[in-house]
């Protein structure tokens, strides 16, 4: 079993896909279309994250309502996905939704767990996971690792043993393996910003 981390896929989000389809002046990826971005996301995830692996996803799953939530989840082969809600996961928060007036379903049930944060051991490493970046988090002064998303690599908030694990931050546009993260964080020192430690 392998453990993976990612966030901010924004599946189906036209404005983040690329300059040819976005109405934004900046802050987008470099795809020619939303469909190209969607296909690349699914391929890159499934090439690495296998059926028996575990994926922690730190928010902003998809855009386009219930249909894209369900389609993306059904396209990912990994069976165990722990979702930490992001600011664009309102349709998942809605719980009871339907597609095109069809049967009502609960998107919570598409995931192994749904929460806002996670704090605890994953393997032998203590993590604090959240959609948002923090300067102080549980055991930060004792070397715990804080992973976050939301910022798409634009944040200057990587501090001590904290890291943006969003898909835009991986050079291969894919989730991070736990070993990659532990190795990267082993090169950083914990930073103390208050009286703790």
């Amino acid at each position: 079993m392998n453990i993976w981390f990612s966030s901010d896929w924004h599946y189906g989000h036209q404005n983040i896909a690329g300059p040819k389809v976005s109405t934004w002046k900046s802050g987008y990826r470099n795809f020619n279309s939303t469909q190209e971005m969607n296909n690349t996301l699914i391929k890159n995830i499934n090439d690495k994250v296998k059926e028996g692996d575990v994926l922690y996803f730190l928010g902003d799953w998809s855009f386009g309502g219930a249909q894209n939530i369900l389609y993306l989840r059904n396209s990912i082969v990994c069976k165990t996905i722990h979702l930490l809600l992001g600011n664009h996961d309102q349709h998942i928060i809605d719980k009871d939704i339907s597609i095109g007036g069809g049967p009502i379903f609960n998107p919570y049930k598409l995931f192994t767990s749904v929460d806002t944060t996670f704090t605890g051991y994953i393997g032998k490493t203590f993590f604090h996971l959240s959609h948002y970046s923090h300067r102080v988090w549980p055991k930060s002064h004792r070397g715990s690792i804080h992973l976050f998303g939301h910022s798409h690599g634009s944040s200057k908030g990587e501090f001590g043993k904290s890291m943006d694990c969003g898909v835009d931050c991986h050079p291969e546009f894919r989730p991070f393996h736990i070993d990659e993260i532990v190795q990267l964080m082993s090169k950083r020192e914990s930073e103390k910003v208050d009286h703790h430690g």
Side-chain angles (χ1 to χ4, degrees):
M1 177 186 67
N2 289 296
I3 300 170
W4 304 85
F5 301 88
S6 193
S7 76
D8 296 276
W9 291 346
H10 284 245
Y11 180 90
H13 188 180
Q14 176 180 316
N15 276 335
I16 206 172
K20 291 184 179 178
V21 293
S22 177
T23 61
W24 294 351
K25 293 181 179 178
S26 63
Y28 42 69
R29 296 163 181 168
N30 196 28
F31 294 100
N32 293 313
S33 68
T34 308
Q35 192 59 51
E36 181 187 10
M37 177 186 75
N38 292 345
N39 293 342
T40 301
L41 271 171
I42 292 170
K43 180 182 184 308
N44 289 358
I45 296 160
N46 287 336
D47 280 352
K48 293 293 182 180
V49 187
K50 302 305 179 187
E51 183 176 350
D53 292 351
V54 175
L55 173 64
Y56 289 86
F57 184 79
L58 278 62
D60 289 1
W61 178 260
S62 65
F63 274 59
Q67 182 173 345
N68 279 346
I69 297 168
L70 185 61
Y71 183 83
L72 177 57
R73 181 63 190 94
N74 288 339
S75 299
I76 303 301
V77 299
C78 179
K79 299 296 184 191
T80 305
I81 300 179
H82 299 286
L83 172 66
L84 303 176
L85 294 164
N87 56 300
H88 290 298
D89 292 323
Q90 61 268 22
H91 292 298
I92 296 172
I93 296 169
D94 289 343
K95 293 188 180 178
D96 293 326
I97 54 182
S98 68
I99 297 171
I104 300 240
F105 78 102
N106 184 340
Y108 267 53
K109 294 181 180 177
L110 300 174
F111 302 95
T112 306
S113 69
V114 178
D115 213 325
T116 54
T117 60
F118 170 86
T119 302
Y121 282 94
I122 301 173
K124 296 179 180 179
T125 305
F126 195 89
F127 284 92
H128 178 69
L129 310 179
S130 169
H131 184 62
Y132 300 102
S133 169
H134 303 278
R135 281 176 61 88
V136 178
W137 57 91
K139 299 189 180 184
S140 57
H141 60 294
R142 294 184 179 168
S144 70
I145 296 173
H146 167 42
L147 300 182
F148 61 91
H150 186 65
S151 300
H152 300 267
S154 69
S155 172
K156 296 177 174 57
E158 288 197 358
F159 184 81
K161 291 183 181 283
S162 72
M163 176 182 152
D164 186 341
C165 71
V167 70
D168 297 287
C169 297
H170 198 288
E172 298 173 12
F173 200 66
R174 64 162 173 83
F176 286 88
H177 190 274
I178 189 170
D179 292 346
E180 292 178 282
I181 289 169
V182 169
Q183 183 178 16
L184 285 167
M185 295 298 104
S186 71
K187 299 173 184 174
R188 295 193 194 175
E189 296 294 327
S190 298
E191 295 190 41
K192 301 168 181 67
V193 297
D194 58 20
H195 69 282
H196 295 95

